Amino acid sequence: MSNATNLLQRETHCKDCSLACMCLPISLHADEMDALDRIVKRGRPLRKGDVLFRQGDEFNSIFALRSGAIKTYGLSDEGDEQITGFHLAGELIGMSGMDTERYTVTAVALETTSVCEIPFDNLDELTAVLPQLRKQLMRLMSRELREDQEMMLLLSRKNADQRIATLLINLSARFRARGYSARAFRLAMSRNEIGNYLGLAVETVSRVFTRFQQHGLITAEGKQIEILDYIQLCALAGGQTE
Amino acid sequence: MSNATNLLQRETHCKDCSLACMCLPISLHADEMDALDRIVKRGRPLRKGDVLFRQGDEFNSIFALRSGAIKTYGLSDEGDEQITGFHLAGELIGMSGMDTERYTVTAVALETTSVCEIPFDNLDELTAVLPQLRKQLMRLMSRELREDQEMMLLLSRKNADQRIATLLINLSARFRARGYSARAFRLAMSRNEIGNYLGLAVETVSRVFTRFQQHGLITAEGKQIEILDYIQLCALAGGQTE
DNA sequence: CGTGGCCTTGAACCTAGTCAAGTCTAGTGG
DNA sequence: CCACTAGACTTGACTAGGTTCAAGGCCACG
């Protein structure tokens, strides 16, 4: 509505978006991308701590992250939060709500974050006429299934060291894919959130970070991480206990 | 090809299938169901131990289970199998292969099992013209995402007792949904497979079963299970340690 | 400069894993 | 039909990795 918003909207069409290559528009033609673009809503950025949607809210849209980072969490039976994922630019969230018509998790910004809102009914109609879009939506859901399976493997098979190593390698690869350094980056989430996500106590996370530093695998100053021994960290993440 | 196969095929159209209400054809009209039916292939039943598809095989079809039970597993980095799910009649499997064009898990029959093969390219074309089918396919994927999230919660938050209780309650509900007894049923999987799936050692699974019996929650004779105290088992599965 | 939140460190405890027998069961062949 | 065997299951004793509890340090922000 304001000039600022208009400016923001004008700046960011799918065809100009550097993330298009990993987002929904993959392999759409220019006119198809326009059609997609027309249904996308781009609001003002979220600030750290802002809620994008709440578990139980009516499911109307899925969201593509344009920048920043989001955590999603559900409430466990005891009422405390269980983080189900950390999401970076180019990723789609909210899809698990499709089944029940309500979001199954809450999504909160970990830092200043801008998102594209994609009303699902419109998207659904569009997928009927754009096979490539349909395919990509399916692909993204399928990929999430695969990632969840890897997470299950991590949770049921890996020890604390391996879990943290896996997370670091995973983040590193995702940063690289987005054009950032794979070697040095800043964690958007707290130790507490890492522990919650990986099924570890905060204390354990902390201890593993110190141990990794003592062994010269990484340096960690607060949230600033540098990977020193990528090879060995990979090996750890991969499974074998060195 | 044989008479037997023809008979089998004739017997089982989607519109006659008792599982249609939880499978893909939900809320399709008769003619739409025919269209779906035309692309479905129904082969001879699998016997216990038969492989439906292998991790790494080219992804061409998804499969709907008509009867029996299937386990899916991936190989962990150390090379041993990690079971990612037990699947019963009416469920769809193979969808996580969509992303990579290869199946990400191996699917093996736990008992005599018949499946409907649904070539994905045909299904995809059909979803362009059948909005209800598209919706249902999305829903099923979305549901699987939600179930995976619950599994992650189980693996990162629940102790051995709660895990086993959750599995039993979950199976019980699924049997009920299929018209079988929710109170007494036969497990298709071994203790080993249960442990593998839930991230527990076989010995732990065994101990929990005995403990549950001592506390009068269930009886277990081999794979035959009877739930004696549904309420308390639910409470356990739900989270609180009684 | 003080406060609160986040992070780190230490010590004790506990759950589930591992190792090692031993039992039960289903399937096989004499 | 029964004896035999391999695999599945159970049970006990010990161990280890991670949680919990408790305390103290660090940093950012008012």
Side-chain angles (χ1 to χ4, degrees):
Chain A
M1 42 218 69
S2 72
N3 277 340
T5 313
N6 283 333
L7 183 63
L8 192 63
Q9 297 229 359
R10 231 176 305 125
E11 270 174 354
T12 49
H13 279 287
C14 287
K15 55 185 154 195
D16 308 321
C17 184
S18 64
L19 297 160
C21 59
M22 54 175 75
C23 188
L24 264 181
I26 271 192
S27 63
L28 293 187
H29 297 301
D31 54 332
E32 299 175 329
M33 225 181 268
D34 280 341
L36 174 60
D37 215 80
R38 244 168 275 133
I39 69 170
V40 172
K41 298 187 212 164
R42 299 186 176 85
R44 78 188 68 249
L46 302 169
R47 302 160 136 273
K48 178 173 176 168
D50 284 354
V51 174
L52 182 56
F53 52 79
R54 281 214 158 70
Q55 183 172 19
D57 281 358
E58 196 184 341
F59 168 81
N60 288 315
S61 301
I62 61 179
F63 297 85
L65 305 210
R66 210 160 60 249
S67 70
I70 293 259
K71 71 168 171 180
T72 49
Y73 62 87
L75 291 185
S76 80
D77 308 282
E78 283 122 9
D80 36 31
E81 68 180 57
Q82 163 66 32
I83 295 177
T84 56
F86 300 120
H87 307 275
L88 304 183
E91 294 172 3
L92 233 54
I93 62 175
M95 295 183 290
S96 66
M98 224 177 278
D99 174 30
T100 52
E101 308 280 310
R102 312 215 153 253
Y103 292 109
T104 60
V105 291
T106 299
V108 172
L110 290 170
E111 57 190 40
T112 305
T113 296
S114 47
V115 302
C116 298
E117 176 174 356
I118 310 170
F120 187 68
D121 287 344
N122 297 343
L123 178 63
D124 181 52
E125 286 164 23
L126 214 49
T127 60
V129 291
L130 301 182
Q132 289 301 326
L133 181 64
R134 190 165 69 232
K135 180 153 207 170
Q136 181 59 6
L137 181 58
M138 289 281 184
R139 271 228 195 93
L140 288 174
M141 292 187 76
S142 166
R143 177 194 302 187
E144 202 166 321
L145 283 175
R146 192 161 41 79
E147 287 167 352
D148 283 357
Q149 277 168 13
E150 258 167 48
M151 192 64 194
M152 283 160 51
L153 194 145
L154 175 144
L155 289 170
S156 75
R157 279 246 184 314
K158 295 187 178 179
N159 65 25
D161 286 14
Q162 295 169 330
R163 291 181 197 199
I164 303 272
T166 306
L167 178 68
L168 291 176
I169 292 298
N170 178 290
L171 285 173
S172 164
R174 282 154 82 194
F175 284 127
R176 181 174 40 220
R178 283 157 184 77
Y180 300 112
S181 167
R183 227 189 78 264
F185 46 86
R186 207 184 132 70
L187 299 174
M189 68 295 285
S190 70
R191 301 282 192 275
N192 224 313
E193 288 165 331
I194 292 177
N196 183 309
Y197 176 58
L198 296 178
L200 299 170
V202 204
E203 294 91 330
T204 306
V205 176
S206 199
R207 281 186 252 268
V208 173
F209 270 95
T210 11
R211 204 175 320 143
F212 278 7
Q213 291 190 80
Q214 288 164 353
H215 292 9
L217 296 178
I218 61 169
T219 62
E221 300 199 351
K223 308 203 162 174
Q224 190 61 36
I225 302 288
E226 188 173 344
I227 296 182
L228 300 178
D229 190 340
Y230 192 82
I231 307 288
Q232 206 177 341
L233 206 59
C234 267
L236 244 184
Q240 37 278 29
T241 327
E242 104 199 47
Chain B
M1 40 219 72
S2 71
N3 279 338
T5 313
N6 284 332
L7 184 62
L8 192 61
Q9 299 229 358
R10 233 177 301 125
E11 269 175 353
T12 48
H13 280 286
C14 286
K15 56 185 155 196
D16 308 320
C17 184
S18 63
L19 298 160
C21 57
M22 54 174 73
C23 188
L24 264 182
I26 271 191
S27 63
L28 294 188
H29 296 301
D31 54 331
E32 298 175 329
M33 223 181 269
D34 280 341
L36 174 60
D37 215 80
R38 245 168 275 132
I39 69 170
V40 171
K41 297 188 213 163
R42 300 186 176 84
R44 79 188 68 251
L46 303 169
R47 301 159 137 273
K48 177 172 177 169
D50 284 354
V51 174
L52 182 55
F53 52 80
R54 282 214 158 70
Q55 183 172 19
D57 281 357
E58 196 184 341
F59 169 80
N60 288 315
S61 301
I62 61 179
F63 297 86
L65 305 210
R66 211 158 61 247
S67 70
I70 293 259
K71 71 168 171 179
T72 49
Y73 62 88
L75 291 186
S76 80
D77 309 281
E78 283 122 8
D80 36 31
E81 66 181 58
Q82 163 66 34
I83 296 177
T84 55
F86 300 121
H87 307 275
L88 305 182
E91 294 173 3
L92 233 55
I93 63 175
M95 295 184 290
S96 66
M98 225 176 277
D99 174 30
T100 52
E101 309 280 309
R102 312 218 152 249
Y103 292 109
T104 60
V105 291
T106 300
V108 172
L110 290 170
E111 58 189 40
T112 305
T113 296
S114 47
V115 303
C116 299
E117 176 174 358
I118 311 170
F120 186 68
D121 288 343
N122 297 341
L123 178 63
D124 182 51
E125 287 164 22
L126 214 49
T127 60
V129 291
L130 301 182
Q132 289 302 326
L133 181 63
R134 190 166 68 232
K135 179 154 206 169
Q136 181 60 4
L137 181 57
M138 289 282 184
R139 271 227 195 94
L140 288 173
M141 290 187 77
S142 166
R143 176 194 303 185
E144 201 165 321
L145 283 175
R146 191 162 41 80
E147 286 167 352
D148 283 356
Q149 278 168 13
E150 259 167 47
M151 193 64 193
M152 283 161 51
L153 194 145
L154 175 143
L155 289 170
S156 76
R157 278 247 183 314
K158 294 187 179 179
N159 66 24
D161 286 15
Q162 294 169 329
R163 291 181 196 199
I164 304 272
T166 305
L167 178 69
L168 291 176
I169 292 297
N170 178 290
L171 285 173
S172 164
R174 283 154 82 193
F175 283 128
R176 181 174 41 222
R178 283 157 184 78
Y180 300 112
S181 167
R183 228 189 77 265
F185 47 87
R186 208 184 133 70
L187 299 173
M189 68 296 285
S190 70
R191 301 282 192 273
N192 224 312
E193 289 164 331
I194 292 176
N196 183 308
Y197 177 58
L198 296 178
L200 299 170
V202 204
E203 294 92 328
T204 307
V205 175
S206 201
R207 279 187 254 269
V208 173
F209 271 96
T210 19
R211 204 176 318 145
F212 278 7
Q213 291 190 81
Q214 288 164 353
H215 293 6
L217 295 178
I218 62 169
T219 62
E221 300 199 351
K223 308 203 162 173
Q224 190 62 36
I225 302 288
E226 189 173 345
I227 296 182
L228 300 178
D229 190 340
Y230 194 82
I231 307 289
Q232 207 178 339
L233 206 59
C234 268
L236 244 183
Q240 37 278 29
T241 326
E242 102 198 50

